[in-house]
């Protein structure tokens, strides 16, 4: 029987009966329908079932409190608004020579703000020395170490590119010895000295967290890996009872805590004021703050890591952590150097 096609108005005669062609098309349609239904079922199952493409390590410190994000943002905006008014003074200088300068960074100021203020300070120092400014080469200023916005204390700025590279290598090779002072709020620890070893990394939400020591080297979301983190602590005073002593060599071979599980903190226990000295053995971001949080003695004012922002009727606008000292070999002369920053008021009042 001739067949008329609307696409081509010409009669043609199919080589095979039309019913067979129709049957074939029907079978193909059913097969396609069944495959689509099967695929939809698989898609629905995959949507309802979480897929873990990689077994990432689990952080052992708590996630950030949503309220802390708002407070941190307010603090950051306040610091940024003050940056144009900030200027280093001669009294901030701890050490200076032709290769580097060490200053005492105040709380609530970004490192970049301090660096931007350094040229004006150096001009004042040259002027007070009686030297002709035209004979003094303009320095190539670099930050040798960085401190968090609310951390005060020793900050080193180099004046030459080659000196900066040498100091960076010294920090990377752990040849620089640092001490910090922190005022913490929590239950008085049973230890006088302790060394804590753990992992350090960014969680899937971008926040720095404590990880198990056994997780060091494992991959994290975003492509980074868990790094080792080690800090030694010694208690200087509890509720004002104690004495401030000079930094000494710390034997980290005794009373070692290797982190492998979440800390158990009694949140209802009595809160004490604990002044500690910290000896960071590695240089991880927020290292001391994270380890204080894990030990159950978060730093006062450190809302990011569970520190109280209100204490005894007063509100604190920043965490109370101070870079007390920094010891190293001079990158040019090789002579031993030790920079000490005066203690802030909150540290002298507690002892």
């Amino acid at each position: 029987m001739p067949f008329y096609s609307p696409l081509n108005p010409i009669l043609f005669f199919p080589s095979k009966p039309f019913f067979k062609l129709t049957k074939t098309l029907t079978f193909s349609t059913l097969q396609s329908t069944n495959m689509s239904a099967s695929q939809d079922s698989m898609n629905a199952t995959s949507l309802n079932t979480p897929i873990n493409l990689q077994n990432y390590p689990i952080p052992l410190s708590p996630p950030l409190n949503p309220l802390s994000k708002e407070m941190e943002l307010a603090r950051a905006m306040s610091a940024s608004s003050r940056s144009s008014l900030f200027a280093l003074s001669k009294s901030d200088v701890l050490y200076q020579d032709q290769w580097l300068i060490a200053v005492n960074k105040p709380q609530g100021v970004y490192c970049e703000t301090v660096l931007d203020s350094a040229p004006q300070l150096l001009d004042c120092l040259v002027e007070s020395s009686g030297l002709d400014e035209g004979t003094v080469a303009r320095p190539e200023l670099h930050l040798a170490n960085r401190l968090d916005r609310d951390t005060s204390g020793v900050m080193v700025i180099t004046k030459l590119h080659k000196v900066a590279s040498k100091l960076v290598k010294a920090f990377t090779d752990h040849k620089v010895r640092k001490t910090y002072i922190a005022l913490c709020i929590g239950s008085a620890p049973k230890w006088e000295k302790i060394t804590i070893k753990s992992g350090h990394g960014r969680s899937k939400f971008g926040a720095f967290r404590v990880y198990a020591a056994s997780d060091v080297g494992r991959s994290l979301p975003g492509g980074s890996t868990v790094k080792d983190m080690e800090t030694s602590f010694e208690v200087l005073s509890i509720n004002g009872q104690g004495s401030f002593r000079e930094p000494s060599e710390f034997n980290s071979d005794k009373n070692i805590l290797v982190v492998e599980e979440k800390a158990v903190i009694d949140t209802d226990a009595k809160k004490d004021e604990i002044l500690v000295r910290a000896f960071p053995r590695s240089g991880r971001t927020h290292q001391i703050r994270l380890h204080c949080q894990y030990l159950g003695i978060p730093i006062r004012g450190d809302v990011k890591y569970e520190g109280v922002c209100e204490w005894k009727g007063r509100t604190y606008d920043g965490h109370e952590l101070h870079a007390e000292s920094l010891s190293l070999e001079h990158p040019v002369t090789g002579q031993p150097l030790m920079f000490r920053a005066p203690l802030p008021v909150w540290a002298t009042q507690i002892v």
Side-chain angles (χ1 to χ4, degrees):
M1 178 182 292
F3 180 73
Y4 178 86
S5 172
L7 298 178
N8 188 8
I10 300 176
L11 292 175
F12 72 93
F13 295 84
S15 59
K16 294 184 180 181
F18 182 68
F19 77 90
K20 290 186 178 180
L21 177 62
T22 306
K23 184 177 180 181
T24 304
L25 290 173
T26 303
F27 174 76
S28 299
T29 303
L30 289 173
Q31 187 180 39
S32 176
T33 303
N34 291 336
M35 290 179 64
S36 299
S38 176
Q39 185 67 37
D40 290 342
S41 176
M42 292 176 60
N43 290 339
T45 302
S46 63
L47 288 175
N48 295 327
T49 305
I51 299 176
N52 187 8
L53 298 178
Q54 187 167 357
N55 185 23
Y56 292 120
I58 300 174
L60 302 182
S61 56
L64 299 185
N65 187 319
L67 181 60
S68 72
K69 296 180 181 179
E70 298 178 9
M71 297 186 68
E72 279 293 307
L73 178 60
R75 291 177 178 181
M77 293 178 65
S78 177
S80 297
S81 65
R82 296 193 305 267
S83 61
S84 60
L85 304 175
F86 176 78
L88 286 168
S89 65
K90 294 179 182 179
S91 61
D92 294 322
V93 178
L94 305 174
Y95 175 88
Q96 189 206 191
D97 61 24
Q98 66 191 91
W99 298 288
L100 54 86
I101 180 172
V103 298
N104 181 21
K105 181 185 104 56
Q107 185 190 51
V109 177
Y110 287 105
C111 288
E112 291 77 10
T113 303
V114 175
L115 183 65
D116 291 341
S117 177
Q120 182 180 356
L121 172 64
L122 292 174
D123 289 341
C124 292
L125 294 176
V126 169
E127 183 179 349
S128 62
S129 67
L131 296 174
D132 183 1
E133 293 186 23
T135 63
V136 179
R138 299 301 297 176
E140 305 158 343
L141 301 179
H142 298 272
L143 292 172
N145 67 315
R146 305 183 70 87
L147 299 176
D148 295 334
R149 179 195 63 231
D150 292 331
T151 301
S152 58
V154 180
M155 208 177 95
V156 180
I157 300 172
T158 59
K159 300 180 180 180
L160 293 172
H161 294 311
K162 63 179 182 180
V163 176
S165 62
K166 289 183 178 180
L167 271 187
V168 167
K169 189 176 188 306
F171 277 97
T172 304
D173 295 342
H174 305 297
K175 293 182 178 180
V176 180
R177 183 174 181 268
K178 298 169 285 186
T179 66
Y180 288 74
I181 300 293
L183 180 55
C184 306
I185 304 296
S187 298
K190 295 179 173 60
W191 45 265
E192 292 184 3
K193 294 184 178 182
I194 194 171
T195 295
I196 175 172
K197 298 180 179 181
S198 73
H200 170 276
R202 283 186 184 271
S203 68
K204 63 180 179 179
F205 300 110
F208 290 105
R209 308 279 288 279
V210 172
Y211 288 82
S214 58
D215 285 334
V216 171
R218 293 182 62 187
S219 297
L220 291 169
S224 62
T225 58
V226 178
K227 307 292 185 183
D228 65 298
M229 181 166 64
E230 179 179 345
T231 314
S232 297
F233 293 93
E234 65 173 346
V235 175
L236 298 178
S237 76
I238 298 176
N239 297 326
Q241 301 299 311
S243 60
F244 188 87
R245 51 188 177 272
E246 294 297 310
S248 59
E249 289 297 326
F250 190 99
N251 185 357
S252 60
D253 296 334
K254 298 180 180 179
N255 197 17
I256 299 175
L257 171 62
V258 180
V259 174
E260 290 297 342
E261 58 187 18
K262 292 183 178 180
V264 178
I265 307 297
D266 185 0
T267 56
D268 296 326
K270 175 180 174 288
K271 298 293 188 292
D272 301 290
E273 294 179 342
I274 308 143
L275 190 69
V276 300
R277 175 177 283 124
F279 303 80
R281 310 294 180 182
S282 49
R284 308 304 176 200
T285 303
H286 301 173
Q287 171 171 332
I288 297 171
R289 299 165 62 186
L290 282 164
H291 273 167
C292 282
Q293 178 193 29
Y294 185 86
L295 292 171
I297 52 171
I299 298 172
R300 187 166 71 180
D302 192 1
V303 294
K304 177 172 283 190
Y305 299 116
E306 298 187 304
V308 297
C309 62
E310 294 183 358
W311 181 252
K312 294 183 177 180
R314 179 184 168 186
T315 301
Y316 293 86
D317 296 326
H319 62 251
E320 295 183 326
L321 178 63
H322 180 68
E324 176 191 27
S325 70
L326 194 151
S327 304
L328 71 161
E329 285 188 1
H330 195 288
V332 177
T333 66
Q335 294 297 314
L337 294 176
M338 181 176 180
F339 308 130
R340 291 283 300 273
L343 293 177
V345 174
W346 54 260
T348 58
Q349 288 180 341
I350 198 67
V351 179

